[in-house]
């Protein structure tokens, strides 16, 4: 089982789109795939047909009892989706209160890692959709994952969010006692604009070895797929955005995938 966290300390950079696209492509191959929605906004949970405002068992349930979460609560939180081979541990909007509730309790950063240990023989791939703020949920994701993807929109405000994210990765490496391999994925790229192309060049200049060699383009098909509640690769595998994520996935699952450490 490989665990991927998709994370950036800036919203609106296509984190959820990246999760649902990559997970859908693997599920369509017949590979059992699990998605965790750690964002209290619950966009991914909504995308997959559940309501984060009223859901009874969710990731929030797992945090309420910390280390004493019973197995049945863990498995009750697991939801089927209408997509074959794709399962969800959903978000609840109550997750927004976790930092205040948990305070300085010990062990709160390893809840997701311990939860995933129950699924290690069931799923081949796990994708974690992270919130855009540093807190207990992001820390859990970074502690649980094997590899990190950082989507970055090719506009200059996103570069500042990337700096914050890489600082967080540096801090997490100290507690993990091993460096977390990560890959920066340029997203929402509009190659018709000089600003986007200049930003992409700056990404390569500053973080070259960490940056994917290609981009996920701006594609209106993503909005249409979202409206229908379908992953774009399932709605239209030939769409430009689908092809970009297919190329990314092909490279990610190669043994020599371009992942770099700090």
């Amino acid at each position: 089982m490989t665990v991927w966290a998709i994370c950036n300390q800036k919203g609106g950079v296509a984190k959820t789109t990246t999760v649902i696209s990559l997970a859908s492509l693997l599920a369509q191959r017949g590979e059992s795939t699990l998605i965790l929605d750690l964002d209290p906004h619950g966009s991914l949970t909504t995308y997959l047909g559940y309501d984060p405002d009223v859901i009874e068992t969710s990731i929030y349930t797992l945090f309420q009892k910390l280390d004493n979460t019973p197995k049945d609560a863990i498995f009750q939180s697991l939801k089927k989706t209408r997509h074959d081979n794709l399962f969800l541990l959903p978000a609840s909007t109550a997750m927004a209160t976790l930092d205040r509730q948990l305070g300085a309790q010990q062990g709160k950063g390893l809840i997701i890692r311990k939860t995933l240990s129950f699924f290690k023989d069931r799923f081949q791939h796990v994708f974690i959709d992270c919130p855009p703020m540093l807190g207990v949920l992001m820390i859990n994701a970074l502690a649980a994952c094997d590899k990190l993807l950082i989507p970055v929109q090719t506009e200059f405000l996103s570069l500042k969010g990337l700096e914050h994210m890489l600082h967080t990765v540096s801090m997490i490496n100290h507690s993990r006692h091993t460096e977390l391999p990560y890959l920066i994925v340029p997203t929402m790229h509009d190659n018709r604009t000089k600003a986007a192309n200049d930003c992409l060049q700056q990404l390569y200049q500053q973080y070259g070895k960490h940056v994917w060699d290609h981009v996920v383009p701006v594609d209106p098909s993503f909005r249409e797929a979202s409206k229908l509640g379908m992953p774009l690769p399932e709605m239209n595998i030939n769409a430009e955005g689908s092809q970009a994520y297919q190329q990314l996935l092909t490279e990610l699952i190669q043994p020599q995938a371009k992942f770099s450490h700090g």
Side-chain angles (χ1 to χ4, degrees):
M1 184 173 79
T2 303
V3 182
W4 313 79
I6 288 73
C7 195
N8 193 330
Q9 285 175 243
K10 184 182 184 305
V13 296
K15 293 189 300 294
T16 298
T17 297
T18 298
V19 170
I20 193 67
S21 298
L22 293 175
S24 171
L25 286 165
L26 286 165
Q28 287 181 63
R29 295 182 181 188
E31 300 187 29
S32 189
T33 304
L34 173 63
I35 292 174
L36 278 69
D37 188 357
L38 292 195
D39 191 338
H41 289 108
S43 297
L44 187 52
T45 297
T46 302
Y47 202 126
L48 291 173
Y50 293 91
D51 187 344
D53 291 325
V54 300
I55 198 162
E56 292 186 3
T57 55
S58 68
I59 287 173
Y60 179 70
T61 311
L62 307 180
F63 278 87
Q64 287 180 306
K65 296 185 179 181
L66 293 177
D67 292 339
N68 298 316
T69 303
K71 289 184 182 180
D72 60 342
I74 293 172
F75 287 103
Q76 285 172 13
S77 299
L78 183 66
K79 310 297 182 187
K80 291 182 178 180
T81 73
R82 55 183 174 271
H83 312 283
D84 292 342
N85 306 309
L86 194 59
F87 293 80
L88 172 70
L89 280 175
S92 163
T93 51
M95 286 159 43
T97 67
L98 282 174
D99 281 293
R100 185 176 71 251
Q101 286 183 23
L102 298 180
Q105 293 184 50
Q106 294 294 316
K108 66 180 182 180
L110 298 176
I111 300 304
I112 295 301
R113 183 175 175 180
K114 292 175 182 177
T115 296
L116 290 178
S117 68
F118 289 97
F119 298 117
K120 62 183 180 180
D121 296 323
R122 180 166 181 177
F123 295 104
Q124 295 167 269
H125 310 277
V126 178
F127 291 88
I128 306 177
D129 191 11
C130 299
M133 71 288 292
L134 179 59
V136 65
L137 292 166
M138 183 183 289
I139 289 171
N140 264 267
L142 296 178
C145 70
D146 301 307
K147 297 180 180 181
L148 171 65
L149 297 179
I150 308 176
V152 176
Q153 182 182 3
T154 52
E155 57 93 21
F156 285 97
L157 287 178
S158 291
L159 295 181
K160 189 53 108 174
L162 176 59
E163 290 179 17
H164 293 314
M165 187 67 237
L166 294 180
H167 179 66
T168 297
V169 171
S170 179
M171 291 191 301
I172 290 294
N173 284 341
H174 289 293
S175 59
R176 284 174 58 102
H177 305 299
T178 180
E179 291 190 354
L180 177 61
Y182 67 89
L183 181 68
I184 297 166
V185 180
T187 60
M188 305 168 71
H189 181 66
D190 187 348
N191 63 9
R192 299 169 299 179
T193 69
K194 184 177 185 299
N197 290 323
D198 288 348
C199 182
L200 183 62
Q201 289 307 309
Q202 187 170 336
L203 272 176
Y204 287 127
Q205 289 169 9
Q206 288 186 237
Y207 309 104
K209 67 176 183 176
H210 296 284
V211 184
W212 184 39
D213 295 330
H214 304 281
V215 301
V216 178
V218 171
D219 186 344
S221 299
F222 283 121
R223 290 186 179 180
E224 184 63 26
S226 177
K227 180 181 177 181
L228 297 175
M230 293 179 64
L232 180 57
E234 187 174 319
M235 186 188 85
N236 182 3
I237 192 61
N238 295 315
E240 195 175 2
S242 297
Q243 292 297 302
Y245 279 114
Q246 178 65 73
Q247 184 174 18
L248 175 61
L249 179 63
T250 298
E251 296 181 26
L252 291 178
I253 61 179
Q254 291 177 351
Q256 67 274 26
K258 182 182 177 180
F259 268 87
S260 298
H261 297 77

